[in-house]
Amino acid sequence: MHVLELRGVSKRLGRRMVVEDLNMTVEAGEVYGFLGPNGAGKTTTIRMIVGLIRPTAGEIRILGHDVQRDPVRALAHVGAIVENPELYSYLTGRQNLIHYARLAGVNDIARRVERVAERVGLADRLDEKVKRYSLGMRQRLGVAQALIADPKLLVLDEPTNGLDPAGMREFRELIRALAREGMAVFVSSHLLAEVEQMCDKVAVLRGGRVIAEARIADLTASVGHVWLRVSRPDMAQAVLRNSGWEVARDGGRLRVAAKDEAAIAAVVRALVEQGIDVYEVAPGGGLEQSFLALTGESPAHAAGMA
Ligand SMILES: Nc1ncnc2c1ncn2[C@@H]1O[C@H](COP(=O)(O)OP(=O)(O)OP(=O)(O)O)[C@@H](O)[C@H]1O
Ligand SMILES: [Mg+2]
C-alpha cells in the first residue's frame, strides 16, 4: 500500500484549472520532491493532500484511506507544515509543542515533546520564547510540531524558504534521517539543487501539470556526459565529431557524451593525439543537465530558479 497516492487530482479555482490530473505515489522511507516555480500549484496540491480544500476531480489516499470520504482516518497519520507554520511567538518552544500535542490527542505529552525536540535538535533551546528563535529554529520547531503525533507521512510546503545554506543543509539532513527511519516525506520546493540533494524522486510541476517525474538516481545516472575545457574548442569539436562522439559547444567548453571512464579516457586521448591540450574534465552529471532532456527546457525556466 502506498503511503500517499494521488489519482487524477484536479482543482479548479474560479475559471482556472490551477492543478490538473496529478498522479503521484509516495512510499514509506521515500522523500518525494514536488518541484515547480511560483504559481505552479504546489501549495494548492498540498492543501488538498492535508484536507484543507477539496479536489474538483480525482482522489487522494493516505495509507489507503480517502482524504475526502474518510478524513479522520486518512489524516490521522499526517504531519504537515503548510505555508508558514503557526507558532505562538510569545510562548516557549516547549509550550508550543505541548499545545499541539494536546490538540492532536497525544499520550504522555511531556515525553513526546522531549522526543520530537531532541529529534529536530531543539532540546536545549526548548524553554526560550519562540520570538527569540532564529528562522532556522522556527522551521525546526515547525517540523517538531508536525512530528508530534508520530505521523507516517510528513508534508512540507517549501520548508527551507529563507534558510541560509547551513540551515538548509541541516534541514536536509533531518529530512533524510526521518526517511531512513521509514517516514514518507512529500516536500515542495522551487529549488532544483535542493530537491536533488534531499529527495529520492521528483515530480516537476508547471502550470498545474506534472511535466516530468523521475528518480533522482536515474536522472543523474542517465546523463553520462562530461564538460571539457580545451585549448582549441573549434578544432576539438571537429575532431571529436569526426570520431563519432556526440559533442555540444557552450562558449569555450565542450559537452561530450561519454558514459564511463573508458569513454572519457578515449575522448581525452583523441584530443591529445591531435595536439589539443585538455585543461579540465568535469563531470556533467547532476539534475540540472538531465532536466533539459527530461522537460525540454532549461532548469532555470522550468523550476523558477532564474
Ligand atoms: N481563488 C483563486 N482563483 C483563481 N486562481 C487562484 C486562486 N487562488 C490561487 N490561484 C492561482 O493558482 C495558482 C497556483 O497557486 P499556488 O499557490 O498553488 O502555487 P505555488 O506553486 O504554491 O506557488 P508559490 O511558489 O508562489 O508558493 C496560481 O497561479 C494562483 O494565482
Ligand atoms: Mg506555494
Side-chain angles (χ1 to χ4, degrees):
M1 193 201 305
H2 308 294
V3 176
L4 173 65
E5 182 176 14
L6 282 79
R7 287 281 159 247
V9 172
S10 299
K11 181 67 183 180
R12 179 194 301 276
L13 286 171
R15 284 195 294 173
R16 266 192 64 201
M17 290 305 277
V18 170
V19 161
E20 227 173 329
D21 194 26
L22 297 185
N23 294 284
M24 293 182 275
T25 53
V26 185
E27 317 300 335
E30 189 170 78
V31 182
Y32 193 103
F34 197 43
L35 180 68
N38 294 133
K42 301 182 296 295
T43 299
T44 304
T45 304
I46 284 177
R47 287 191 188 125
M48 290 191 280
I49 292 172
V50 301
L52 289 168
I53 58 173
R54 295 175 157 274
T56 309
E59 62 171 33
I60 300 173
R61 289 180 173 274
I62 295 167
L63 294 163
H65 305 293
D66 190 301
V67 173
Q68 305 313 305
R69 267 176 278 151
D70 196 357
V72 173
R73 280 210 195 117
L75 299 172
H77 302 287
V78 179
I81 305 181
V82 184
E83 290 137 304
N84 295 313
E86 269 301 322
L87 300 166
Y88 301 103
S89 59
Y90 54 90
L91 298 180
T92 65
R94 188 188 308 277
Q95 287 168 327
N96 269 274
L97 292 178
I98 289 172
H99 170 70
Y100 286 107
R102 285 179 184 149
L103 289 184
V106 167
N107 294 320
D108 200 355
I109 287 177
R111 261 190 52 199
R112 186 69 200 151
V113 165
E114 282 292 335
R115 199 168 142 56
V116 291
E118 198 83 51
R119 199 68 203 75
V120 301
L122 268 186
D124 54 338
R125 309 288 297 272
L126 208 50
D127 292 308
E128 282 176 46
K129 290 213 164 139
V130 169
K131 66 176 130 201
R132 293 183 43 201
Y133 279 15
S134 68
L135 186 62
M137 290 167 70
R138 279 168 208 242
Q139 288 297 65
R140 280 187 273 161
L141 184 61
V143 177
Q145 166 263 308
L147 294 176
I148 199 78
D150 198 15
K152 302 249 189 311
L153 172 66
L154 188 60
V155 180
L156 305 169
D157 191 12
E158 307 216 36
T160 61
N161 264 2
L163 294 189
D164 62 22
M168 281 195 184
R169 192 178 57 241
E170 271 178 31
F171 197 87
R172 279 200 304 269
E173 282 161 11
L174 170 61
I175 297 304
R176 294 290 342 159
L178 291 169
R180 275 198 300 279
E181 290 160 22
M183 195 166 298
V185 184
F186 185 87
V187 54
S188 76
S189 174
H190 63 276
L191 298 174
L192 182 66
E194 173 175 274
V195 166
E196 177 178 14
Q197 292 172 68
M198 180 159 59
C199 302
D200 302 298
K201 245 190 199 172
V202 58
V204 182
L205 188 71
R206 193 162 159 70
R209 287 183 161 274
V210 170
I211 57 169
E213 192 200 32
R215 303 204 137 268
I216 301 288
D218 292 344
L219 276 184
T220 34
S222 69
V223 188
H225 64 249
V226 288
W227 287 96
L228 299 176
R229 209 157 57 74
V230 296
S231 59
R232 297 158 73 189
D234 281 330
M235 186 181 162
Q237 188 172 8
V239 164
L240 292 175
R241 283 233 168 101
N242 288 340
S243 318
W245 298 98
E246 204 182 292
V247 193
R249 176 89 185 267
D250 178 13
R253 298 199 309 163
L254 300 179
R255 202 187 83 153
V256 187
K259 285 198 172 23
D260 51 28
E261 286 180 341
I264 294 167
V267 165
V268 172
R269 212 159 37 234
L271 294 172
V272 172
E273 276 168 7
Q274 295 300 315
I276 298 164
D277 293 327
V278 177
Y279 304 131
E280 190 182 333
V281 181
L287 200 52
E288 198 154 332
Q289 275 81 32
S290 37
F291 219 84
L292 265 169
L294 191 69
T295 64
E297 57 193 10
S298 84
H301 187 53
M305 293 170 60

